[in-house]
């Protein structure tokens, strides 16, 4: 009886409103609810985005919830080729591209220098707002999508004291992310002093004091401890507010053109 009542209640839940987007010639059905940090919901094979009508509204109270019908599912068209995991992954990636790319991303790296002649890259962190990720370059993972993002000329890559980070990208991947905005260089124009440290400027801009307990970690060791991973991700999460505050201050001082020229050198 209880199961029957649950099914009746579920059937009475309103359907999620659906929109349409053309992605590589394929019409994709999708929905979007709420505002805040984005949350992408992907249904399983044989299902559709309406499976989320039970929990998407509650999640949308604090987040921007996005869901789509995968190719050949729900209201999304079926492509003229066999469905495969690689096709589904490609379509989701292109869908996210069409939603719009951020104007900037915060970037940081963790590396090892004590045991190697050349710095050994151990972790790459990227983020925009509350959406942040840590990528393990020591694992068996395809880094090409990340490198394409870092090489996108329409996205500003934000570093703090990024000279060594950029050198690692040059050494390991034979390219330097561009365009770049270094908040340490910009902070000098804003009166924070020469070579202001990351922890200091974060505290001055946001009022948050950084826990330095993970600064002396051996980042080449696996698995990475949860507290250390959180420390690494928080670095790029906090860099965003610093970037926005410093950039605004630079503009007020009429030094934007000088900073842009300095970043290109």
């Amino acid at each position: 009886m209880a199961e029957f009542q649950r099914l009746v209640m579920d059937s009475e839940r309103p359907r999620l409103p659906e929109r349409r987007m053309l992605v590589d010639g394929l019409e994709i059905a999708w929905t979007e609810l709420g505002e805040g940090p984005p949350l992408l919901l992907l249904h399983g094979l044989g299902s559709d985005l309406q499976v989320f009508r039970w929990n998407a509204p509650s999640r949308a109270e604090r987040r921007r919830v996005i869901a789509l019908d995968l190719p050949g599912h729900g209201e999304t068209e079926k492509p003229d080729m066999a469905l495969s995991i690689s096709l589904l992954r490609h379509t989701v990636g292109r869908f996210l591209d069409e939603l719009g790319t951020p104007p900037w991303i915060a970037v940081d790296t963790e590396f090892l220098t004590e045991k190697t002649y050349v710095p050994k890259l151990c972790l790459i962190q990227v983020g925009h707002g509350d959406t942040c990720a840590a990528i393990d370059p020591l694992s068996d993972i395809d880094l090409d999508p990340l490198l394409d993002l870092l090489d996108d000329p329409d996205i500003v890559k934000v570093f703090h004291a990024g000279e060594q980070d950029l050198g690692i990208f040059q050494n390991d991947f034979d390219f330097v992310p561009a365009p770049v905005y270094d908040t340490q260089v910009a902070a000098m124009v804003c009166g924070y002093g020469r070579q202001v440290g990351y922890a200091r400027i974060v505290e001055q801009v946001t009022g948050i004091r950084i826990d330095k307990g993970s600064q002396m970690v051996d980042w080449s060791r696996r698995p990475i401890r949860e507290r250390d991973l959180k420390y690494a991700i928080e670095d790029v999460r906090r860099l965003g507010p610093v970037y926005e505050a410093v950039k605004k201050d630079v503009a007020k001082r009429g030094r934007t053109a000088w900073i842009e020229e300095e970043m290109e050198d």
Side-chain angles (χ1 to χ4, degrees), residues 25-175:
L26 195 69
E27 189 174 83
I28 302 290
W30 66 289
T31 191
E32 181 178 29
L33 302 171
E35 297 180 352
L39 174 64
L40 177 65
L41 303 178
L42 297 178
H43 63 74
L45 298 179
S47 185
D48 59 41
L49 67 80
Q50 293 300 332
V51 73
F52 300 118
R53 68 181 185 271
W54 299 291
N55 53 21
S58 61
R59 294 185 177 187
E61 292 176 1
R62 297 183 178 181
R63 288 178 172 270
R64 177 192 179 197
V65 175
I66 301 165
L68 72 152
D69 282 335
L70 296 175
H73 293 71
E75 299 300 318
T76 292
E77 294 178 333
K78 186 176 181 179
D80 296 329
M81 61 182 70
L83 293 179
S84 65
I85 297 298
S86 61
L87 172 64
L88 299 181
R89 183 174 59 185
H90 172 77
T91 302
V92 171
R94 289 288 297 115
F95 168 79
L96 295 177
D97 288 342
E98 292 298 326
L99 276 182
T101 55
W104 58 265
I105 56 172
V107 186
D108 190 26
T109 66
E110 308 297 343
F111 48 86
L112 188 67
T113 57
E114 290 81 2
K115 303 176 182 179
T116 58
Y117 177 74
V118 176
K120 179 180 180 180
L121 180 62
C122 300
L123 199 67
I124 305 171
Q125 305 99 272
V126 295
H128 178 80
D130 287 328
T131 304
C132 303
I135 298 94
D136 184 0
L138 302 183
S139 65
D140 185 18
I141 185 174
D142 181 9
L143 293 176
D144 285 347
L146 172 63
L147 299 180
D148 289 343
L149 179 69
L150 295 176
D151 200 33
D152 190 326
D154 296 323
I155 301 176
V156 175
K157 272 62 73 171
V158 181
F159 292 83
H160 185 84
E163 184 175 354
Q164 196 162 17
D165 301 289
L166 297 175
I168 290 174
F169 282 108
Q170 177 66 61
N171 184 70
D172 286 17
F173 306 112
D174 197 28
F175 92 103

Side-chain angles (χ1 to χ4, degrees), residues 235-247:
D235 267 2
V236 289
R237 192 190 310 276
R238 295 181 183 125
L239 186 54
V242 171
Y243 165 67
E244 292 177 334
V246 169
K247 184 180 179 183

Side-chain angles (χ1 to χ4, degrees), residues 248-263:
K248 184 177 180 180
D249 197 349
V250 167
K252 284 184 178 180
R253 297 168 185 266
R255 303 298 298 276
T256 298
W258 182 86
I259 286 293
E260 291 177 349
E261 183 178 342
E262 188 73 15
M263 302 298 177

